[in-house]
Amino acid sequence: MEQLGMQKRSRIRDYGAVVGRMQPGPLNKITDVKGVKVGHATIDTERHKTGVTVILPCEDNMFARKLTAAVYVHNGFGKTQGTIQIEELGTLEAPIALTNTLNIGRVHDALVGYMVSRCRADHVPMHSVNPVVGECNDATLNDIAERTVTEEDVQNAIQHACEDFEEGDVGAGKGTICFGLKGGIGSASRQLTLDGVTYTVGVLVQSNFGSTKNLTICGRNLGEEAARRVEERKLDEGSIMMVVATDLPVSDRQLKRIIKRAGVGLARCGSFMGHGSGDVMIGFTTANRIETAGDGSTVPLTILKEHKLEDAFTAAAEATEEAILNSLAAAHTVKGYSGTVKYALEDLFEREELRALITGGK
């Protein structure tokens, strides 16, 4: 194993992995959906390995022009905020943030403050708002009880949001663990064409799940060998947040059908969505914006014919699978506050060995 330390962040394709058959977008990230940006604030001290990641779905005021949205909870061992209203109304009106389990309340409060300021600046009346915050428990590496993520961290993540964001052990992924290895933030995208128009499905994950022996990359089990080299995680526990973005013109019901397929990508990596894992999907589309102000009682929407969702299902599955693998490939080895070390994928296997294991020696 290599010494602990920072190195250039890799992605799973750097090892010869090709996930699925569909083509990714230019960055192969959730931000290939036009208007979407992602920002991190990372806390990295001797005792604290944590942070916050914020997904900004659009550049304009989303409280004034809400986004069509959906949620799906495959296994509910999690502590998200804001998902009940999305389930009821099918809309998203504030940024989505990811953090650790005990910092949800503080991050939620910070997002409320951000939206209050944004709406005041834009002269948009606002007396209630529904920020969405997801979480994974990073207590193995992070002294989670001290709740170190602050409002300033959330604001910094928003201010530094961009399209070509970092992956791996950054932001909300700084202290998370995936298949007993170092996990974190990962992203990927897929493009599809309908009636001559190209659309994008992008996924961002916060990976913190999986038993070591089940780790599977491109259909090949690496978990058995990984379990011989590290302290094995025997249970499929710890949770994963999956955020799906698209520009497809779909209803919230159709979007829920799409984001459910993120679970296919999760399973392909070796997850069985175990008892201790909160497996939560949140999705939005930048098409079909909902303006609540103005005259009239109806809102015009354009939606796909149901059978045209087939490629979107495949795109969500492939992008989720690759996003999870990117969260592993981009992570660095991290030593936690109690001395526990979680090794990065590339620190566990030599680079060429890893390529051979993934590609079958091709």
Side-chain angles (χ1 to χ4, degrees):
M1 297 180 186
E2 297 177 7
Q3 295 298 313
L4 307 190
M6 302 298 283
Q7 57 189 356
K8 182 180 180 297
R9 295 186 189 273
S10 300
R11 307 191 84 195
I12 201 62
R13 292 190 178 225
D14 294 331
Y15 305 106
V18 179
V19 178
R21 298 179 179 178
M22 300 184 75
Q23 290 299 309
L27 292 174
N28 197 11
K29 294 180 178 180
I30 192 174
T31 46
D32 286 327
V33 178
K34 186 177 179 180
V36 178
K37 294 182 178 179
V38 174
H40 306 295
T42 304
I43 300 171
D44 186 2
T45 67
E46 184 177 350
R47 295 196 63 79
H48 305 122
K49 309 292 181 183
T50 193
V52 61
T53 295
V54 179
I55 300 99
L56 301 176
C58 59
E59 296 180 350
D60 61 319
N61 191 316
M62 58 189 294
F63 187 83
R65 299 181 64 237
K66 304 180 194 307
L67 287 86
T68 298
V71 297
Y72 178 68
V73 180
H74 190 100
N75 192 55
F77 205 150
K79 287 79 178 173
T80 57
Q81 288 196 355
T83 56
I84 293 175
Q85 182 169 307
I86 294 179
E87 184 70 41
E88 183 70 21
L89 302 182
T91 58
L92 179 69
E93 60 188 26
I96 299 169
L98 306 175
T99 189
N100 72 56
T101 305
L102 298 189
N103 259 115
I104 289 181
R106 290 187 175 185
V107 171
H108 182 277
D109 187 60
L111 287 179
V112 170
Y114 167 76
M115 289 304 298
V116 167
S117 297
R118 179 70 188 265
C119 287
R120 284 176 177 171
D122 294 339
H123 304 290
V124 174
M126 190 268 281
H127 304 290
S128 176
V129 68
N130 185 55
V132 179
V133 186
E135 56 80 29
C136 288
N137 195 309
D138 56 17
T140 298
L141 298 176
N142 173 51
D143 190 356
I144 193 171
E146 295 191 3
R147 297 187 294 162
T148 54
V149 179
T150 66
E151 180 176 0
E152 183 180 4
D153 292 321
V154 177
Q155 296 295 339
N156 284 338
I158 293 172
Q159 291 171 12
H160 292 95
C162 62
E163 294 178 358
D164 197 8
F165 57 93
E166 284 192 302
E167 299 168 285
D169 55 308
V170 292
K174 182 63 193 180
T176 60
I177 301 165
C178 191
F179 293 106
L181 308 180
K182 187 64 194 77
I185 299 296
S187 192
S189 70
R190 292 294 184 270
Q191 293 186 323
L192 58 147
T193 301
L194 297 172
D195 298 330
V197 180
T198 298
Y199 298 97
T200 302
V201 175
V203 175
L204 180 145
V205 303
Q206 178 191 16
S207 67
N208 192 50
F209 70 96
S211 59
T212 306
K213 287 184 178 179
N214 291 333
L215 171 61
T216 302
I217 300 180
C218 294
R220 299 181 184 275
N221 178 274
L222 274 68
E224 295 284 349
E225 181 59 33
R228 287 190 281 268
R229 303 187 185 195
V230 296
E231 181 182 355
E232 179 186 355
R233 176 189 266 185
K234 295 184 177 181
L235 299 177
D236 190 345
E237 60 184 1
S239 301
I240 178 172
M241 295 297 308
M242 294 160 277
V243 180
V244 181
T246 187
D247 51 7
L248 284 163
V250 290
S251 67
D252 61 296
R253 179 190 57 79
Q254 291 177 320
L255 184 60
K256 187 169 187 174
R257 295 191 70 200
I258 292 170
I259 68 174
K260 284 181 179 180
R261 272 61 183 187
V264 176
L266 180 58
R268 285 178 177 173
C269 292
S271 173
F272 291 88
M273 295 81 161
H275 161 70
S277 181
D279 309 300
V280 180
M281 299 90 161
I282 301 170
F284 63 86
T285 176
T286 57
N288 287 335
R289 302 288 296 273
I290 310 294
E291 297 194 37
T292 55
D295 298 328
S297 301
T298 61
V299 177
L301 299 177
T302 300
I303 65 171
L304 292 179
K305 294 178 179 178
E306 216 66 28
H307 69 279
K308 291 294 184 178
L309 295 173
E310 192 78 18
D311 284 346
F313 292 167
T314 303
E318 288 189 8
T320 302
E321 181 181 1
E322 187 162 354
I324 292 167
L325 298 178
N326 280 334
S327 77
L328 285 161
H332 299 106
T333 295
V334 172
K335 182 178 181 179
Y337 73 104
S338 62
T340 299
V341 175
K342 291 301 175 181
Y343 286 94
L345 189 65
E346 191 174 292
D347 287 341
L348 194 64
F349 300 96
E350 296 292 337
R351 192 174 184 87
E352 290 308 313
E353 177 193 17
L354 182 57
R355 176 182 288 271
L357 287 169
I358 291 173
T359 65
K362 297 179 181 178

